[in-house]
Amino acid sequence: MGEGDADRAFFNALLQERKIDGFQVLAPAGGRQFGVRLRAIRGATGFKHVKTILLVADNDIDPTASFQQVRAEIRAAGGYGVPDAVLQPATAQNHPSVRIMMLPRAGQPGCLETIVLESLLIEVPTLRECLNDYLKCTPAVGWDQSKQAKMRLQCLIAATCKVDPNCSLTHLWSSKKKLRQLLTYAPFDEITEILGAIA
Amino acid sequence: MIESARIKNFRCFEEVSLSGLANTNIIVGSNASGKTAMLEALFMAATGHPMIAARLRGLRLLNESTLTLDRQGYEAVWRDFFFQFDQARIIHLTLSGSANNTRATRIYYAPEEEENVIVPMGGKPEDSTAVVPIQFEHSSGIGEPTKIRVMFGPDGLSVRGPGPSMVISSFPAGNRANPQEAAQRFSQLSVLGKDAFVIQSLKKLYPFITDVSLQMSGGIPALYASVTGIREKMPVSLVSDGVYRVMTYLLAMASYRNGVLLIDELENGLYYGTLAEVWRVIHEFASEYGTQLFVSTHSSECLRALLPTISGNEDKFTLIRTHKVKGSCEATVINGRDFQSAIEEEMEVR
C-alpha cells in the first residue's frame, strides 16, 4: 500500500519485471492517509485472504518522524498490529500482519524518486554533473533532499525520455517509454529482496 | 432494535451469527450467497408464522404446491426452509436486542405427532383434519414458549395459536408492494394527520409530483398523484415504478414506530441520479420513526450514493457481506466506519 499513483505504478512494474507474484498494489483515492485506507480494505472483499500488508512511505527529510507518522496512522485505523521497527511484522487478532517499508531505505532521507534517480543515472552517468550544475542555478538548491531528488528526476526524464519528455513518474514504466530496464538495476535490488521475502 | 441474530438450518445457512447490527444494515454478496435468504430468515424470525411459507414461496416464484392430505403434501410447504432440505434438522432463528425485538423461533417436525388425523364424529374421510407435525415455537425469553399448530383439512392449511407481534415489513426484489396495503397505510396516516411528511418528502425527491391523495378506483382505494403538466391525477404506480416503490417504503416506516423494514435490492426501479437523495430520505424516515433497515443491493452506484448519508453517521450503519463456502452460506458484518472508508476509497465491497 503506497502513498499514491506513482507508487502503485512503480510497484506494479517492479513486481512484474522482477517476476514476484502474490501482491496487490493499492493506491489511495485522493491522497488520503494510511488510516483511512487500512479501514477501507477491512471493508473490502477478499480482506480475509490478505496475509500481510506492506505500507510503503517516503522518509522525506526526517526518517524517524516519517516512520512514527505511519505508525500513528496504523494506530488510528484500529485493530491492526503496529510495527516497532521498519520491516518488522506486527500482528493482531483477525488482521493480517503489517510491515512498514520506508523509502529510499531505512534511515535515509529521500523518497521513491531518490532510487529512481539513482537508477536512471546508471543509464546516463554523464548527466550527473550537469544536473548538479543546473541545480546550483535554480532556487531548488535550497530545497531538502527529497524535493531535490524529485526535481533532478523530472529534469532527467525530460532530457532522456524522447517519447514523452513531460512524462510523470506514474507513467514512466509503460513499455512505450523504454525505461523499464531501470527496474533491473542494482538500486532496486534491496526492495526486490524484501518483496521476495514477503511473497 | 435487533442487535444480533442467529440463523441455524434455514435455507442456505447451516449456522450464521450476526452481531453488532446497526440501524441500517446493507446486505451485499454474489448471487446465491444468501442475501434474500437472510432477509427471509429475519422476516420468518419476526413473524414466525407458518403461513408465511406460502408468501415466501410465491416471492421466490415457486409454484404453489397442490395440498394433499399426506406427508408429501404438507412437507412440500416448508421443505425448502430447511438447510439442504433436511427436515430432520431444527431451524433456529434468534433475534436479540431491545425487548420488542428479542425472540427465538424454532421450527421442527415432531415425529410423535405424525399421521395424527382427526376425523370428526359422523364425518367422511374427505372431511378429515390432520394435525401437521411441524412445530413453530416462539419464545421471547420470558415464560414458556408459545407453539403454533398447523391444521390441514379440506379447506387447506389453517393455524392455531398466536404469532409474535413484532412489526416488520418486507419488500422483496422485483415485487411491488400491495397497492391496497399502501392505500390503507396512507389512509391511517392521513386520519392521524401524519401524511404530510410522506407527501413533502416525495415532492422534494420528485419535484414533478405536486400532491398525493387517496382516491377510489373501481370501488377500491388507491393512491393517486398530481403531476406537473398532467391535467388529471394518476395512480402513483402509473407515474413511475421507482416513485411507487419509494413511497411504499416511506409509508411502511411512517406507519409504525420502531419497526423493521426489509428491502431486497433497493436499486430496482430507481434512477441512479436519485439514489443519494433516496438514501437521505430513507435515513431521515428511519431516524424519525425508529425503523431498523435491512437493505440488500447489487449496485455499486447504490453503495456510492450512500456516502453523503453515511458520512458522519457511521455508527448507524453496517455492511453485511454474504458468501458461500462449500454448501453453506456465511456472513461477515463490517462496521460502518470501515464500510464508509471502503466506499470513500472506491474499494469493492460487494
Side-chain angles (χ1 to χ4, degrees), chain A residues 32 37 41-43 45, chain B residues 321 337-338 345 347-348:
Chain A
R32 288 177 209 288
R37 277 171 269 162
I41 61 164
R42 208 160 39 199
T45 53
Chain B
R321 187 183 300 120
R337 201 162 172 234
D338 290 352
E345 288 283 305
M347 289 197 173
E348 183 55 80

Side-chain angles (χ1 to χ4, degrees), chain A residues 110-167:
Chain A
C111 50
L112 173 62
E113 284 84 347
T114 307
I115 318 176
V116 179
L117 180 66
E118 289 170 13
S119 189
L120 193 49
L121 282 169
I122 292 172
E123 191 85 350
V124 283
T126 52
L127 294 184
R128 183 184 295 271
E129 284 309 311
C130 303
L131 264 182
N132 289 341
D133 290 343
Y134 176 57
L135 180 72
K136 288 171 194 165
C137 303
T138 71
V141 72
W143 294 356
D144 64 59
Q145 285 183 45
S146 207
K147 287 198 170 67
Q148 283 188 356
K150 289 176 184 182
M151 176 267 187
R152 286 171 201 254
L153 179 63
Q154 217 49 59
C155 289
L156 214 48
I157 291 171
T160 57
C161 185
K162 191 178 175 184
V163 179
D164 182 9
N166 195 33
C167 183

Side-chain angles (χ1 to χ4, degrees), chain A residues 1 26-29 32-33 35-46 48 76-77, chain B residues 319 321 323 325 330 332 334-335 337-350:
Chain A
M1 188 183 288
L26 299 178
R32 288 177 209 288
Q33 294 187 323
V36 175
R37 277 171 269 162
L38 287 169
R39 285 201 302 272
I41 61 164
R42 208 160 39 199
T45 53
K48 67 178 179 180
Chain B
L319 178 75
R321 187 183 300 120
H323 38 92
V325 180
E330 296 181 357
T332 308
I334 291 150
N335 70 57
R337 201 162 172 234
D338 290 352
F339 175 30
Q340 188 260 357
S341 296
I343 304 173
E344 200 170 53
E345 288 283 305
E346 298 173 3
M347 289 197 173
E348 183 55 80
V349 300
R350 297 169 296 163

Side-chain angles (χ1 to χ4, degrees), chain B residues 175-246:
Chain B
N175 286 273
R176 285 178 167 194
N178 183 334
Q180 287 179 48
E181 194 177 326
Q184 191 178 355
R185 283 179 168 166
F186 185 87
S187 172
Q188 286 167 351
L189 288 172
S190 188
V191 167
L192 296 170
K194 293 180 177 175
D195 54 341
F197 192 28
V198 175
I199 297 171
Q200 291 303 324
S201 298
L202 269 183
K203 284 164 68 174
K204 196 170 174 189
L205 196 53
Y206 302 106
F208 52 85
I209 291 177
T210 58
D211 198 14
V212 177
S213 57
L214 201 58
Q215 306 293 329
M216 295 301 283
S217 172
I220 297 169
L223 285 165
Y224 276 63
S226 303
V227 178
T228 305
I230 298 177
R231 201 175 300 165
E232 290 188 18
K233 290 180 179 179
M234 57 197 291
V236 178
S237 57
L238 199 59
V239 175
S240 150
D241 185 43
V243 172
Y244 180 76
R245 282 173 192 272
V246 172

Side-chain angles (χ1 to χ4, degrees), chain A:
Chain A
M1 188 183 288
E3 291 184 323
D5 288 339
D7 285 9
R8 179 168 62 182
F10 165 72
F11 278 100
N12 276 326
L14 183 71
L15 291 164
Q16 197 177 13
E17 204 62 35
R18 299 283 187 129
K19 299 183 171 49
I20 301 170
D21 294 326
F23 282 89
Q24 183 180 0
V25 185
L26 299 178
R32 288 177 209 288
Q33 294 187 323
F34 287 122
V36 175
R37 277 171 269 162
L38 287 169
R39 285 201 302 272
I41 61 164
R42 208 160 39 199
T45 53
F47 178 69
K48 67 178 179 180
H49 302 300
V50 178
K51 292 194 173 85
T52 297
I53 296 174
L54 179 66
L55 302 177
V56 183
D58 292 336
N59 278 325
D60 292 324
I61 52 173
D62 187 343
T64 305
S66 298
F67 175 67
Q68 291 304 332
Q69 175 62 30
V70 177
R71 293 185 75 227
E73 289 170 19
I74 299 170
R75 216 173 281 120
Y80 290 95
V82 183
D84 291 324
V86 173
L87 296 176
Q88 186 186 78
T91 56
Q93 197 177 13
N94 299 326
H95 284 73
S97 71
V98 177
R99 294 176 195 236
I100 304 171
M101 177 194 283
M102 300 301 294
L103 298 178
R105 291 162 195 92
Q108 181 186 336
C111 50
L112 173 62
E113 284 84 347
T114 307
I115 318 176
V116 179
L117 180 66
E118 289 170 13
S119 189
L120 193 49
L121 282 169
I122 292 172
E123 191 85 350
V124 283
T126 52
L127 294 184
R128 183 184 295 271
E129 284 309 311
C130 303
L131 264 182
N132 289 341
D133 290 343
Y134 176 57
L135 180 72
K136 288 171 194 165
C137 303
T138 71
V141 72
W143 294 356
D144 64 59
Q145 285 183 45
S146 207
K147 287 198 170 67
Q148 283 188 356
K150 289 176 184 182
M151 176 267 187
R152 286 171 201 254
L153 179 63
Q154 217 49 59
C155 289
L156 214 48
I157 291 171
T160 57
C161 185
K162 191 178 175 184
V163 179
D164 182 9
N166 195 33
C167 183
S168 70
L169 189 54
T170 305
H171 300 103
L172 195 63
W173 312 111
S174 80
S175 54
K176 282 182 187 170
K177 308 297 182 327
K178 298 186 168 68
L179 288 170
R180 281 180 77 104
Q181 74 278 8
L182 300 183
L183 297 165
T184 63
Y185 293 175
F188 295 116
D189 286 351
E190 189 181 329
I191 297 177
T192 303
E193 276 177 32
I194 294 166
L195 295 174
I198 293 171

